[in-house]
Amino acid sequence: LNLFETMIEGQRQRIKILRTEVRELMQIAEEKREIMVEKSKEHKAIVKLKEKRKQDFIKKQKIFEAKRIDEVASQRFKRSA
């Protein structure tokens, strides 16, 4: 009977240790999840900024091209007049 009690007490200690390990691992997992969420937000912000810069570039290109076309048309008009 004493052997069984010792064995059961050993298992209880093992369970206690494992529960502590599980709590620690769950805390680490939560911290990693929070980091992942933050990095995901940062990534979305970067993608949004890149898209905005791309749209700004396209807009500036269109303005530049329109000015060039106007200049060419103006020069042609001056030559023909």
Side-chain angles (χ1 to χ4, degrees):
L1 186 65
N2 192 19
L3 177 65
F4 288 114
E5 288 174 353
T6 304
M7 192 171 85
I8 289 172
E9 185 58 33
Q11 291 300 319
R12 285 183 180 146
Q13 289 298 321
R14 185 165 183 241
I15 289 170
K16 186 177 178 181
I17 291 168
L18 291 173
R19 282 184 177 158
T20 301
E21 288 179 15
V22 167
R23 270 189 238 110
E24 290 171 359
L25 291 172
M26 288 177 73
Q27 184 176 356
I28 291 169
E30 180 61 23
E31 290 169 1
K32 300 273 185 190
R33 188 191 70 76
E34 289 173 5
I35 291 170
M36 186 180 73
V37 167
E38 187 61 34
K39 295 295 181 185
S40 177
K41 287 179 184 178
E42 290 174 9
H43 177 73
K44 286 179 184 178
I46 290 170
V47 168
K48 191 174 180 179
L49 179 60
K50 281 183 180 180
E51 185 60 32
K52 183 178 180 340
R53 286 184 176 173
K54 180 181 174 184
Q55 293 302 323
D56 288 347
F57 176 78
I58 290 170
K59 185 178 177 181
K60 287 177 183 178
Q61 282 296 109
K62 287 181 179 179
I63 291 169
F64 177 76
E65 287 297 320
K67 285 181 181 179
R68 283 195 66 222
I69 291 170
D70 287 346
E71 286 177 12
V72 170
S74 181
Q75 289 174 357
R76 285 185 184 169
F77 179 74
K78 287 179 184 177
R79 281 190 230 155
S80 66

